[in-house]
Amino acid sequence: MKPRTLRYCQAIHEALDLSLARDPSVYVMGLGVPDPKGVFETTLGLAEKFGSQRVLDMPASENGMTGIAIGSALAGMRPVLVHQRLDFAILAMDQMVNQAAKWCYMFGGQQGVPLVVRMIVGRGWGQGSQHAQSLQSWFAHVPGLKVIMPATPHDAKGLLIAAIEDNNPVISIEHRWLFNIEGPVPEGHYREPIGQARVIRPGRDLTIVAVSHMTIESLRAAEVLAEQGIEAEVVDLRTVRPLDRATILQSIAKTSRLVAVDTGWPSCGVSAEIVALAAEGAWSALKAPPVRVTLADCSSPSTPALARRFFPRVHDIVNAGRRVVGLEPLTERAPAAGDPPADVPDNDFRGPF
Amino acid sequence: MKPRTLRYCQAIHEALDLSLARDPSVYVMGLGVPDPKGVFETTLGLAEKFGSQRVLDMPASENGMTGIAIGSALAGMRPVLVHQRLDFAILAMDQMVNQAAKWCYMFGGQQGVPLVVRMIVGRGWGQGSQHAQSLQSWFAHVPGLKVIMPATPHDAKGLLIAAIEDNNPVISIEHRWLFNIEGPVPEGHYREPIGQARVIRPGRDLTIVAVSHMTIESLRAAEVLAEQGIEAEVVDLRTVRPLDRATILQSIAKTSRLVAVDTGWPSCGVSAEIVALAAEGAWSALKAPPVRVTLADCSSPSTPALARRFFPRVHDIVNAGRRVVGLEPLTERAPAAGDPPADVPDNDFRGPF
Amino acid sequence: MSSERLLRLYREMYLIRRTEEVIADLYKEQEMRCPVHLCIGQEASPVGVCQELEPADVAFSTHRSHGHYLAKGGSLLALMGELYGRQTGCSAGNGGSMHLIDRAAGFMGATPILGATMALATGAAFATSMRQETRVTVAFFGDAAIEEGVFYESANFAVLKRLPLVLVCENNGLSTCSPLSVRQPPTRTICDMARGLGMTAVSGDGNDVLAVSQLARQAIDIARGGGGPVLIELPTYRWREHCGPGFDFDLGYRHPDELAAWQERCPMQRLVRHMEKTGVADAAALKRCEAEVQQEIDAAVRFARESPYPDESLLLAHEYMP
Amino acid sequence: MSSERLLRLYREMYLIRRTEEVIADLYKEQEMRCPVHLCIGQEASPVGVCQELEPADVAFSTHRSHGHYLAKGGSLLALMGELYGRQTGCSAGNGGSMHLIDRAAGFMGATPILGATMALATGAAFATSMRQETRVTVAFFGDAAIEEGVFYESANFAVLKRLPLVLVCENNGLSTCSPLSVRQPPTRTICDMARGLGMTAVSGDGNDVLAVSQLARQAIDIARGGGGPVLIELPTYRWREHCGPGFDFDLGYRHPDELAAWQERCPMQRLVRHMEKTGVADAAALKRCEAEVQQEIDAAVRFARESPYPDESLLLAHEYMP
Ligand SMILES: Cc1ncc(C[n+]2csc(CCOP(=O)(O)OP(=O)(O)O)c2C)c(N)n1
Ligand SMILES: Cc1ncc(C[n+]2csc(CCOP(=O)(O)OP(=O)(O)O)c2C)c(N)n1
Ligand SMILES: [Mg+2]
Ligand SMILES: [Mg+2]
């Protein structure tokens, strides 16, 4: 029998639905959470099912509402806070980092803050400088936080359930271009362990460590590389804090070559951490300098004309792969009729979001 | 004639004094700026000299006041905003990162935001989880910002003047333990270029890339290493964005070994960026895996009992240096009477700050 | 008000209305590849307020800014260029609809992070006051933006320093699809709240451009005269969906009857009725003005379409100011 | 109020006063290695408010929290242990004076980022309301903390949801050395402002423990009874320097006469005078109570000094909750 498949957004929905049903202390809150668009369908119908006490809208007060969620967690609740864009959550850095991340430590381990903050990262279709930031490295930098970035529907469900059941603040960063991808998702309750990467495609010639939407692009790149006779192993990070050092180093030990691919910026990014980890921990295994594939080191431009050079794409990963195995880069064929524009994930994707 | 020396806090004071005198659009604002303690003496007497219109206190409203500073910059002023702790500035991440950092880019290069934000980093004497964060990697991650971290009085003055005269938002991160160190400071106006590292001690056996207070500790470590016959070259980063890749890579090309020392946390930190840069850019030069020296990967404990293990110290840098040249670590001698406690920079330092 | 003045008000509202209708029509071609937040139905606020400003006065706005940009005198060509992602756009294509600017016109910038530009406007007003200039700064924003703490912090400082600031809250009762009732207590009005902070606060019919301009006149006078910041609350209604070109009655969060009722109060029709009642209506003049506007818009669309995209080599060009 | 009750109020204020005096005295030994913000002179607020709380009610505070912690019933031993950085401290040494907690006593936590704990308290009250419990949550904070946007955002939500929340603003007129006048407009009071947000707000003599407890009683009743959040503003004065054990008249930002005037209004002396006036004063009982408190404090200091430091192996132990 073919396994059941869901879209990524449905997998998130199922995780929330299940968690709300299992534990009365779980509640879901955010701008537009109970509205008819349901945060890209991820919260659709939940308010109707669980009541507007448990699935609720909020004022546009990100910092205060984050503090309120934290305070409710200290009083026994398990809030899931939702931001339609990570960029809006920047207003709440104080509450997330100064309060939630520190609470357990600064009070000597007496009490955790079981808070989940879902943040969606925009890309393309004019998602400009204030609507496309992928700041996982900020959160990954901070002790006390956990940070998940699932790439598949399966992990989106399992990691979100694990996050909700975790006794610590967990940041869930969800890439907008993943929401429509489909994949097998088990029914019922299951948890994916936070802090474990996964070898999502085995290979012997190089290791691609990727995360979130870049995992999907890396799988595509691995196929292209395979056509060229290069077998890339793709490690899906899944969690960027805590980092699964063992899985990464093990893969590099096998392949001796590393490409680190991230949805964020380069400087002090997750890709820098991966490369640094490899340099420190897999020194003798590495046979070539590692390569990072990241956003260009500038703010996100709105015009589609610059999207192709700003966002990393399959072609960039392929060339990074070629580089670490010592091959020349390929020049990209010019975009042809029928190719999806560079600012949408596929031809079916429609603006404005 | 011996060059004139000033303390670090006096050098900052002189930069502000000079800038206020030279340019009527410069103003200085922050909690306690005109008060009798003058933000650790850095703003002492300036309100009296330049008037309370130009050197002013503000409400405890970090995010709003940052936006107000930015708005005033858009209208032709050159604000210097001051935070007694970097941790308080976390409230203003939105205005700094979503607005100031993006303004120039998202409006197609029409207008810069000449804003300086000074942030002081606490350490020791019970500066706990919410008073000791050194989050330079957050800012270094963000295109559109510049980030300076001077280690010497000379650079504190020259870089702050350059920051005030820069047409872009500049974050100045000042370590509390530097404020009393004394060093030569030229009189009058001069600028240190933002984005240039400096070889502050030459050496052939290994490169220590350090920043801020860790530069001072690294110089001490280099002396200890020299006594052991190991000549460390110390590169003072001075700026963490933009990063001076050339100077770093050049030094590694010479020494073939790298220790990266930071005042911040390890994961996705500045030290990770330095190590990644070396792995990518100095691959063939490197003869040993690079080593990072950072804060422990946890929140800042208040008790002095844990300060010794939490904050990186000379001893840790020395051992990192030994490691990259292939020597065993030394065990530290037990603290003796007369040693300064681990939570103060020297025996003269007095709480509560 | 003179009939020329009234005609100018009509012209400006029509410019905004038609520009956005054209955007809505052309949007489906998928050439304007950025989120657009149309203000159709809300034109009285930008036009009523901006017509009372001096040329040296400045304005900031948020995501729903086409109207404010145009009413403040922003270039239509540069707006269209921006929506089409072209080099000739007001932000060289880097911004899109959510990041409009026309410094020559005193339109200081619009950015979509809720509440943020209130602080920027307060800061611009602060600069004015430090330099003892007589300029007034206006911030336009919605009823949700006022829920951000940055509003409170900005207001406190503006009141403390008696800044020449006018805050215009266009209260369309909605934040995306969420009604005011899930966001703000029914027991206090926005004006009550602003007064509590120490501001002068007034409210009036946000669909009546003459009422708006009268409130704006008073507010601007107070602000310019050293009386401190003034908040104007303008109840109004957006006709189209929150983001995008269409209507959204399929979503069910509001009923078409609601729109119909508000369309009865269309700011442009109201103005025409006023002109008729006061005997200054001139159907031919209105038609002429409409035709002119349409030509301008057509020209702007043509201009945008013919403009080049920014070259890929410009990707990093504007990150820092020299 | 019964004489036992009055004596208890006295005892609690005395406990706070003496504890802090002892801290101030011992601080110079440099064994308490963390910033301390003493509340000497401000004892009426914590004691007056907390004595009206039920045991299940909870409280949050900020940097100046010794008084709130003790008045809510926090362990004196664990406080001293924390100040001395010991394993036995209420935060196992990780927190220091700025991070006090005693969950058993309903003291939910104090943290020094201004304004932050108001939101946490609002959230705790929200949890209460979601669970339909009858608990009231109190947040203590100063006149500067209220300038943070998070106050406004929390207040808006608390009013919207009519949460059982009492906000206690101890207005000592100072933020570090900065007077209220450079931070908030003179044209509105803190209560005006809170009322503008839709809250009930009351003000009273912050140095009169009986007045405080009366205000607290009413506020708690309203909050518990579903009347929504209440703000209590309590003008008061801190005697010592902002941070640290000493006085700070050398700084010149305030005159010793100011302190002298406020010392005339010492909350403890006021209570004694009240007891005398109403004929319930019992000098012997007061002396006994003072002696007992002193013994408790001495024992706590001894306990702290004899407690072990956390072992270095514990550095990472408390980062995550299992
Ligand atoms: C800080 C922040 N949070 C959330 C959003 C998402 N958002 C964009 S527009 C909008 C609704 C704003 O409503 P209002 O301020 O009333 O303006 P309107 O759209 O009604 O004109 C929201 C929630 C945002 N842009 N910024
Ligand atoms: C967000 C933030 N900004 C600044 C500070 C620094 N700070 C610590 S206490 C204090 C004064 C607070 O005044 P108030 O709230 O009135 O309390 P008080 O000290 O008078 O009791 C300041 C500015 C801080 N802790 N947090
Ligand atoms: Mg609205
Ligand atoms: Mg105070």
Side-chain angles (χ1 to χ4, degrees), chain B residues 31 62 88 91 131, chain D residues 37 42 63-64 112-114 142-145 148 170 172 174-176 183 238 242:
Chain B
L31 290 174
E62 283 80 1
F88 311 156
L91 280 158
H131 276 63
Chain D
H37 301 80
Q42 302 189 177
H63 57 289
R64 199 175 305 285
I113 301 289
L114 292 177
D143 49 298
E148 296 287 354
E170 296 172 350
N172 60 16
L174 288 171
S175 167
T176 311
R183 302 178 279 115
R238 87 169 135 72
H242 165 67

Side-chain angles (χ1 to χ4, degrees), chain B residues 105-129:
Chain B
Y105 193 85
M106 71 190 172
F107 291 118
Q110 282 173 69
Q111 188 174 26
V113 178
L115 164 75
V116 176
V117 188
R118 292 180 51 208
M119 305 177 185
I120 297 165
V121 172
R123 168 172 172 167
W125 197 281
Q127 303 289 302
S129 300

Side-chain angles (χ1 to χ4, degrees), chain B residues 160-176:
Chain B
L160 184 53
I161 290 175
I164 292 170
E165 296 177 4
D166 201 288
N167 288 320
N168 299 282
V170 181
I171 308 295
S172 173
I173 299 182
E174 304 163 7
H175 196 283
R176 182 66 187 89

Side-chain angles (χ1 to χ4, degrees), chain B residues 37 62 88 122 131 142 205 230 238 303 307 322:
Chain B
K37 294 202 170 174
E62 283 80 1
F88 311 156
H131 276 63
V142 178
D205 297 329
I230 304 161
R238 307 200 297 171
T303 173
R322 291 178 61 87

Side-chain angles (χ1 to χ4, degrees), chain B residues 12 16 42-43 80-83 116-120 172 174:
Chain B
I12 292 173
L16 294 174
T42 61
T43 58
V80 179
L81 199 58
V82 188
H83 298 283
V116 176
V117 188
R118 292 180 51 208
M119 305 177 185
I120 297 165
S172 173
E174 304 163 7

Side-chain angles (χ1 to χ4, degrees), chain A residues 31-37 57-63 84 87-88 91 124-131 296-310 341-344 349-353, chain C residues 27 30 32-36 82 84-86 92-99 111-114 144-145 147-149 175-178 182-183 241-245 251-253 309-312 314-316 319:
Chain A
L31 290 174
V33 157
D35 84 12
K37 294 202 170 174
D57 219 311
M58 67 180 208
S61 309
E62 284 80 359
N63 196 41
Q84 306 245 7
D87 315 67
F88 311 155
L91 280 159
W125 196 277
Q127 302 289 302
S129 300
Q130 299 182 333
H131 277 64
D297 201 13
C298 64
S299 304
S300 172
S302 170
T303 174
L306 299 179
R308 249 166 60 103
R309 286 285 164 258
F310 178 69
D343 65 341
V344 291
F349 198 86
R350 281 283 173 278
F353 272 117
Chain C
Y27 199 77
Q30 306 244 320
M32 287 181 262
R33 302 177 78 82
C34 60
V36 289
E82 195 57 36
Y84 275 88
R86 308 303 162 113
N94 279 4
S97 162
M98 296 197 292
H99 301 282
T111 72
I113 300 289
L114 292 177
E147 293 153 13
E148 297 286 354
S175 168
T176 312
C177 308
S178 306
V182 303
R183 301 178 280 114
E241 62 187 328
H242 166 67
C243 179
L251 293 179
Y253 74 94
Y309 282 109
D311 189 82
E312 285 186 350
L314 290 174
L315 178 63
L316 299 165
E319 194 54 51

Side-chain angles (χ1 to χ4, degrees), chain C residues 42 63-64 142-145 170-176 178 183 238:
Chain C
Q42 303 189 176
H63 57 290
R64 198 175 305 287
D143 50 296
E170 296 172 351
N171 183 356
N172 60 15
L174 288 172
S175 168
T176 312
S178 306
R183 301 178 280 114
R238 87 170 136 70

